[in-house]
Each structure stands twice: as C-alpha cells, then as structure tokens.
Amino acid sequence: MIEVRKARKGELEKIIDTANKSFIPVRYPGFDFKERMPKIYARNEDYSDIHFVVEEDNSFKSVAGNLIRKLKLNNKDYPYSIVGTVSTLPSESNKGYMALLMKEIEKENIEKEVVFSMLTGKRQRYVTYGYERSGSRIVYTLNNHYFKFHNVEEEIEVREHTKEDVPSLYEIYKNNQPIILRNEEEFIVDLRISNSTIYTLLKNNKIIGYFAIGDALKVIHELSLVDNDDISRVSKAILKYLNKDSIDVLVNPLNIKLMKALELITEEKIVIEEIMFKVYKMIPFIEMCLELNKDIKNFISCNEVYKVENQIIKISVDGHSYKVEETKEEYLKEFTSREFVDYMLSITNYYHNESKIFPLALDFNEGDMF
C-alpha cells in the first residue's frame, strides 16, 4: 500500500539512496547527493524530517525536501521554504508521486505561514504547482584578453582555504554579500555546494577575499572581496592559479558593488533566470523585495496599485522609503500571483511595462539554495 508521509529522524541514508538512484539516468556515474548538497546530507545534524516520502512495503519510491528558514531584514522575519531533491525512482515514474509530494509541501508551507517558496529545476515541471522562474543573476566572464591591453601587477596569492581562515572569510562574507543567511558554523559547509572548493585570496599576507568553484558548475559561484578595487589583480591571479584563459563568475544582482567592479574589466556577460518562486503572502514578499532593493535603486516618488488574485495592493515608494498595504482603490492592472512575480522580478519586463517601481532585483547565492 502506498503511503505519503513526513520522513522521520534516522531515515536520511534511505532518502539519499533513493535520490541517488533516481538521478542515475541524468547524472554522471558516482553522482552522490552527499557531495552535491553537503549542507543537508553530509553534516552531523540529521535532516531526515525536512523530507516527505512516498513509501510502499517499507521501500521509498519518491522523496522531496522542504527546508524552511527565515530571512531577517529590518528587524522583521520573512519565513521561506526551499524545495530540493525532488526524486522518483526510474521504475516508479509517471505514477503521480511528485504531485503527491508537492501537495504535502504546499500544505506544510501554508501551515507554517511561509511568505514564499523557491526551487531550481525545469520550468515546465514546476509551473503546474504555481512556481514561476524569475529574478535574475549576472554571469560575467573573466578573460586573459583584458590583460593583453592592461598592465596589472600581480600581488594576489591564491590558495585553498584552511580552517584558520574561516573567521576572516566569514567576516568578509557578512560585509559584502547582499543577503546574509549563514552563520559562521554553516558558512563553509553551505559554500561546498556541488562539491565546491573554497579558495582564500591574500594580499601582502593578509586575507582580502575568497571564492568558491563547484566541480559541476565549473564557474565561480561566490566571490567576496574586502575591496572591489582589487578586482583586476584578483582576476589575473585566479586565472593564473587555475591555469585558465577564462572563467565565469555568477553575481547576485543585489551585489551592485561587485557588479560595477566587474563591468570595468569584462567584455562578456549574460543575464539568466535560475530560481523559480511561489508566493504565499504577497504583501510581505513585496516589502522584502523593496527592502533588499532600497539601497541600490533610488525610487521616484509614486504610488502603484495592482490586483493580485483577490487582493488589491497599493505600493508607495519615495527614495529609500516604501509602504505596501491592502486597499480598495482602483488598480492599474490585474494579475495572478505567478504573473505578478514575473512582473515584479523579470528584467525582460523593463522594456514593456509602465511601472516606475518594477522590476526589482532578487536572487539567492548557490550556497543558500537546496
């Protein structure tokens, strides 16, 4: 008999085994979630009970995780969920197990009053469940071509990080990344996503930054510097250390200082949408996005009113201040929740919407995903 339930403590190895077997058709031999996602599957803590499972005769057929956390901004908590490791054994596919698991995740998110949920994956697979791919991240390409025309002295040392480096690296993370979600204990293990190697950057024997590269992504998925003016020297040192002519760097669009620095030394960049969002509480979600953007986007004083599902929402902005509230005023446009998330966050809407507020930037670093 099929049972859909919350996993219990002590079942993590069964969950990992099911997930690994499920990904055999689409991943390389030896693919292991303990390496791909150490923050959940290779820690001392047992994360079994953040998962839901489909079970038959004491055997797991399908699993999915739902990690619920809080983002604290301006002394206000925004609970959110990250869905991950959605896996069904190849022999059990097309039986509707994923739908059963997503239904349980939906119930849990509503019960625990999360503001929004997010995941990565194929859009057509998850749009059915109310998720929409939006937000954006910038991929800059560091290239040795730049150094043919610019004389950059090498002062930067690159080496793999050590345990002794961690307090300094964590301080650099806290002072330079736009969304701070990790404590010092979690910092390195979360950064190891996709079997990443973390490197320390030094100048005159003083730690000035770090970067992380996942072996699957083959890109720098997090880069933090004490002083972004060092970007050209850092870039040259990285390319030389890795023995590469070029490498991509993922940058959160909220990290405006790093973006401006990279703009000066790179010729190639692309904008990608990676994360899919589902919003359960639209007013706090809009507030959260405005809070994250208020220091990088100087809002012109205006009011905009939209109807989202059955709720009419008024958004007022002026410089760095904002207010979001329910209203009965006449609205400009009407959206479903999924449509409005795209309207709010997709950079492509910049060219054809009439809003003076949207789009806004929103992205989460790879190390903060699941």
Side-chain angles (χ1 to χ4, degrees):
M1 179 179 174
I2 292 292
E3 180 184 8
V4 184
R5 64 171 175 84
K6 197 76 180 283
R8 296 181 283 267
K9 293 286 188 182
E11 294 185 317
L12 197 60
E13 287 302 323
K14 285 181 68 175
I15 291 167
I16 295 170
D17 182 61
T18 304
N20 284 341
K21 289 177 178 176
S22 298
F23 276 74
I24 285 174
V26 293
R27 293 291 188 267
Y28 56 83
F31 178 89
D32 189 350
F33 271 91
K34 288 184 178 179
E35 293 181 348
R36 300 300 100 193
M37 189 55 61
K39 68 188 288 181
I40 303 296
Y41 302 116
R43 302 182 67 157
N44 294 329
E45 188 174 351
D46 184 352
Y47 275 91
S48 300
D49 60 356
I50 71 161
H51 295 79
F52 291 92
V53 301
V54 175
E55 184 179 37
E56 184 178 24
D57 298 329
N58 200 36
S59 175
F60 291 172
K61 306 297 183 182
S62 186
V63 301
N66 191 41
L67 179 64
I68 296 178
R69 288 190 166 176
K70 290 181 180 179
L71 172 58
K72 192 176 190 69
L73 296 171
N74 197 24
N75 296 316
K76 185 171 181 179
D77 288 335
Y78 297 91
Y80 66 95
S81 97
I82 320 175
V83 178
T85 318
V86 181
S87 314
T88 300
L89 294 173
S91 60
E92 305 296 328
S93 61
N94 299 317
K95 294 184 179 180
Y97 293 160
M98 177 183 170
L100 294 175
L101 294 172
M102 294 302 291
K103 183 178 180 181
E104 293 301 312
I105 288 170
E106 173 86 350
K107 285 166 54 179
E108 180 175 59
N109 287 341
I110 293 171
E111 288 170 4
K112 297 195 174 180
E113 298 188 326
V114 305
V115 172
F116 68 101
S117 178
M118 59 183 177
L119 52 80
T120 57
K122 295 186 179 299
R123 180 180 180 274
Q124 295 303 327
R125 190 179 189 194
Y126 292 101
V127 72
T128 307
Y129 305 105
Y131 289 82
E132 183 57 82
R133 179 169 289 130
S134 200
S136 60
R137 61 180 51 163
I138 319 298
V139 184
Y140 291 92
T141 301
L142 303 180
N143 197 302
N144 273 325
H145 184 73
Y146 174 84
F147 304 107
K148 293 180 180 179
F149 302 95
H150 299 83
N151 183 28
V152 176
E153 295 181 5
E154 293 182 45
E155 307 173 27
I156 309 300
E157 177 189 350
V158 181
R159 60 168 167 80
E160 290 193 29
H161 91 286
T162 66
K163 185 178 180 180
E164 291 72 27
D165 295 342
V166 173
S168 296
L169 301 185
Y170 183 67
E171 285 302 310
I172 294 171
Y173 160 77
K174 285 198 304 180
N175 293 330
N176 290 278
Q177 290 299 322
I179 303 178
I180 306 305
L181 295 171
R182 305 167 223 154
N183 59 35
E184 187 172 333
E185 182 183 355
E186 298 167 328
F187 173 60
I188 292 296
V189 70
D190 287 5
L191 204 52
R192 287 195 186 280
I193 189 169
S194 297
N195 200 24
S196 291
T197 302
I198 298 106
Y199 297 92
T200 297
L201 297 162
L202 302 100
K203 182 180 179 182
N204 299 324
N205 295 316
K206 183 178 180 181
I207 294 175
I208 62 156
Y210 69 87
F211 65 99
I213 304 178
D215 66 358
L217 295 172
K218 301 188 187 305
V219 301
I220 295 173
H221 63 79
E222 188 164 306
L223 170 64
S224 285
L225 302 175
V226 171
D227 185 352
N228 287 303
D229 287 343
D230 284 325
I231 190 66
S232 60
R233 290 181 289 275
V234 165
S235 299
K236 187 173 184 179
I238 289 173
L239 291 169
K240 182 177 179 180
Y241 180 85
L242 298 175
N243 193 27
K244 288 179 173 288
D245 286 328
S246 65
I247 191 165
D248 289 339
V249 184
L250 300 183
V251 181
N252 190 315
L254 293 165
N255 196 342
I256 195 73
K257 291 180 180 178
L258 181 57
M259 285 172 56
K260 286 181 176 179
L262 286 165
E263 289 284 347
L264 297 175
I265 67 165
T266 58
E267 293 190 16
E268 298 177 43
K269 66 178 177 181
I270 59 172
V271 180
I272 60 172
E273 294 179 343
E274 184 69 20
I275 299 175
M276 299 190 71
F277 295 94
K278 179 172 184 175
V279 178
Y280 292 91
K281 296 186 175 185
M282 190 58 73
I283 286 179
F285 183 74
I286 297 169
E287 287 177 346
M288 181 194 78
C289 292
L290 289 169
E291 180 66 26
L292 288 169
N293 280 262
K294 70 178 185 180
D295 292 328
I296 64 171
K297 185 172 183 176
N298 192 23
F299 294 108
I300 299 171
S301 180
C302 66
N303 300 313
E304 294 181 2
V305 182
Y306 300 98
K307 184 176 182 182
V308 185
E309 302 290 351
N310 296 316
Q311 190 175 37
I312 301 175
I313 300 171
K314 181 179 181 179
I315 306 155
S316 306
V317 298
D318 185 8
H320 289 183
S321 64
Y322 60 85
K323 184 177 182 180
V324 187
E325 59 190 331
E326 193 161 5
T327 184
K328 294 183 179 179
E329 296 180 28
E330 185 176 349
Y331 50 88
L332 298 171
K333 291 185 178 182
E334 183 174 357
F335 298 90
T336 65
S337 178
R338 189 167 62 81
E339 289 169 342
F340 192 65
V341 169
D342 189 54
Y343 184 79
M344 278 182 61
L345 303 178
S346 179
I347 195 170
T348 57
N349 287 325
Y350 178 83
Y351 300 101
H352 57 78
N353 74 22
E354 300 171 359
S355 174
K356 296 177 181 178
I357 300 172
F358 305 124
L360 300 174
L362 182 63
D363 190 33
F364 287 77
N365 291 6
E366 289 289 320
D368 298 318
M369 295 302 292
F370 171 22

